[in-house]
Amino acid sequence: MKVPFVDLKLLHSGIEDELREVFSRVLSNSSFVLGPEVEQFEKDFATYCGTAHAVAVNTGTAAIHLVLAGLGIGPGDEVITVAHTFIATAEAISAVGATPVFVDINPISFCMDADKIEAAITHRTRAIVPVHIYGQVADMDAISAVAKRHGIPVVEDACQAHGAEYKGRKAGSLGVAGCFSFYPGKNLGACGEGGAVTTDDAALAQRIRMWRDHGSRKKYEHEFAGHNMRMEGLQGGLLSVKLKYLDHWNNQRRQAARHYARLLAGSPITIPAEMDYGRHVYHLYVVQAVDRDGLRQQLADAGVESGLHYPTPLHLQEAYRHLGYKKGDFPITESVKDHILSLPIYPGIAPEAIEHVVAELQESCNVA
């Protein structure tokens, strides 16, 4: 049995008519950039996240970039984040001219360890960017308490946490702003690229709207040199359709995670933990194993796709060598990267597929 890592064709098959209707509508009205489809999505997504505003942009990277720009962060400033994340988090910090400062992660949640933040704060620190990795929210009360003591804003990287919750509140509503990616494979994915910023700060939302559109609030009048980071009208319409199904799809992911957990109970494979403060939405189902590479090869031989998120932490990437970090600086991060394995999980994944994956894992463990 072949098991893909994700199955977007399956996801879209049940709503294909609705998606085609959006395409026809956008083609008919020719609102290809921003426009009414994007405006409606911004309203819908803000309501879903429980924030006053949502600003649609073209990628998740742009969302983080423009929040930092909107906060006035630039050259000479420092922004604290984690090394265990996709490079986009740090790239957005670099894009405004600031310096990423990394801290280690919690060994259970894989999110930012709040106890490690204080030691990383300097007189140049201008923001803290925790990453809600794999679909689980970081411990925002603990992180916000440190930030409040130092008067530093917290910007959520929620690019993997659409619909995840922390103490009953949605990801994206817990900091000064939340940043989302709508890359196709995300829990809420566009049929192309997309991103959004959520915030209760009206002034920040307005600045981001200008940053995304050439520093302009009125056509051909530019108050500063901004960027072209606008969402396409088609993506706004498609995302509005898919947003209606997000909770249903997240529930299906959670059911799949529970099935994995039942089948892997008692095995030498460590399953992901759901923290008691929140609701995990399992963008990724990441297990840990001593012989990770052996397991991955066994799965590949059996037709099962898997992933590594992420094999090289950012402080050891060539792109950030100039920051002067070295191996051993973040022991939890470095230990995690050697043992993690992302198993197939997506809305509609068949129980039989999960059972096939687990059977292959167990066979590999027995051989080992």
Side-chain angles (χ1 to χ4, degrees):
M1 174 188 284
K2 292 188 180 301
V3 183
F5 188 62
V6 295
D7 191 343
L8 296 180
K9 290 182 180 177
L10 176 65
L11 182 80
H12 292 147
S13 62
I15 57 171
E16 190 172 333
D17 289 345
E18 289 183 84
L19 298 178
R20 290 186 183 280
E21 186 179 325
V22 171
F23 183 82
S24 297
R25 191 166 64 238
V26 172
L27 189 64
S28 176
N29 64 29
S30 297
S31 294
F32 297 120
V33 179
L34 298 177
E37 301 284 350
V38 172
E39 289 175 9
Q40 186 60 53
F41 173 67
E42 290 178 331
K43 291 176 184 174
D44 295 343
F45 195 61
T47 299
Y48 179 82
C49 292
T51 59
H53 309 277
V55 183
V57 293
N58 60 347
T59 64
T61 313
I64 304 171
H65 178 170
L66 296 190
V67 170
L68 299 179
L71 291 172
I73 295 170
D77 296 334
E78 295 177 349
V79 176
I80 295 173
T81 190
V82 290
H84 183 62
T85 181
F86 184 56
I87 195 171
T89 312
E91 283 179 324
I93 297 168
S94 301
V96 297
T99 300
V101 175
F102 301 121
V103 297
D104 215 342
I105 57 173
N106 179 289
I108 307 300
S109 69
F110 296 166
C111 296
M112 178 179 282
D113 186 340
D115 292 338
K116 302 292 171 51
I117 298 173
E118 201 117 37
I121 292 175
T122 73
H123 68 282
R124 297 197 296 159
T125 305
R126 294 291 178 268
I128 299 171
V129 183
V131 179
H132 304 328
I133 198 108
Y134 305 154
Q136 178 151 250
V137 178
D139 188 352
M140 288 298 290
D141 280 355
I143 293 169
S144 298
V146 178
K148 187 176 180 182
R149 281 200 296 275
H150 294 271
I152 301 167
V154 177
V155 177
E156 300 171 72
D157 180 339
C159 290
Q160 299 186 7
H162 314 71
E165 295 181 4
Y166 181 84
K167 299 182 178 179
R169 294 175 61 190
K170 287 281 196 322
S173 68
L174 303 158
V176 67
C179 305
F180 292 86
S181 163
F182 302 123
Y183 189 76
K186 296 297 173 67
N187 290 37
L188 179 63
C191 295
E193 297 273 14
V197 175
T198 51
T199 183
D200 287 327
D201 186 330
L204 177 60
Q206 178 58 26
R207 288 196 295 277
I208 294 170
R209 290 182 194 282
M210 295 175 69
W211 272 106
R212 76 175 175 183
D213 194 12
H214 301 288
S216 174
R217 72 179 82 203
K218 185 177 181 181
K219 196 168 186 177
Y220 299 129
E221 294 184 9
H222 307 280
E223 298 177 33
F224 56 87
H227 301 284
N228 178 1
M229 294 181 172
R230 301 168 296 199
M231 177 177 278
E232 296 176 350
L234 178 62
Q235 303 306 336
L238 297 172
L239 285 165
S240 286
V241 170
K242 296 176 80 171
L243 181 60
K244 295 185 296 184
Y245 299 94
L246 177 57
D247 285 343
H248 174 63
W249 290 336
N250 280 343
N251 285 333
Q252 290 185 319
R253 288 176 180 272
R254 288 175 58 79
Q255 289 173 6
R258 285 195 292 271
H259 198 41
Y260 269 125
R262 281 192 295 270
L263 296 172
L264 289 170
S267 79
I269 295 169
T270 303
I271 63 173
E274 180 169 10
M275 306 304 283
D276 59 7
Y277 56 63
R279 186 173 187 274
H280 202 315
V281 293
Y282 295 99
H283 170 58
L284 297 170
Y285 190 82
V286 180
V287 300
Q288 296 181 78
V290 174
D291 184 21
R292 184 270 310 281
D293 294 336
L295 293 181
R296 193 173 194 212
Q297 186 59 55
Q298 172 86 12
L299 292 177
D301 292 344
V304 176
E305 296 180 354
S306 62
L308 300 180
H309 301 87
Y310 297 91
T312 305
L314 298 187
H315 70 288
L316 300 180
Q317 294 277 0
E318 179 67 24
Y320 287 107
R321 175 182 287 186
H322 64 283
L323 297 180
Y325 291 105
K326 63 184 183 308
K327 192 173 182 180
D329 282 346
F330 306 112
I332 303 300
T333 294
E334 292 174 28
S335 174
V336 162
K337 64 101 174 170
D338 289 332
H339 300 107
I340 48 175
L341 180 65
S342 304
L343 303 182
I345 192 166
Y346 47 85
I349 185 171
E352 296 77 13
I354 294 173
E355 289 154 13
H356 175 63
V357 174
V358 172
E360 294 298 332
L361 290 174
Q362 289 172 332
E363 181 176 332
S364 183
C365 289
N366 291 335
V367 170

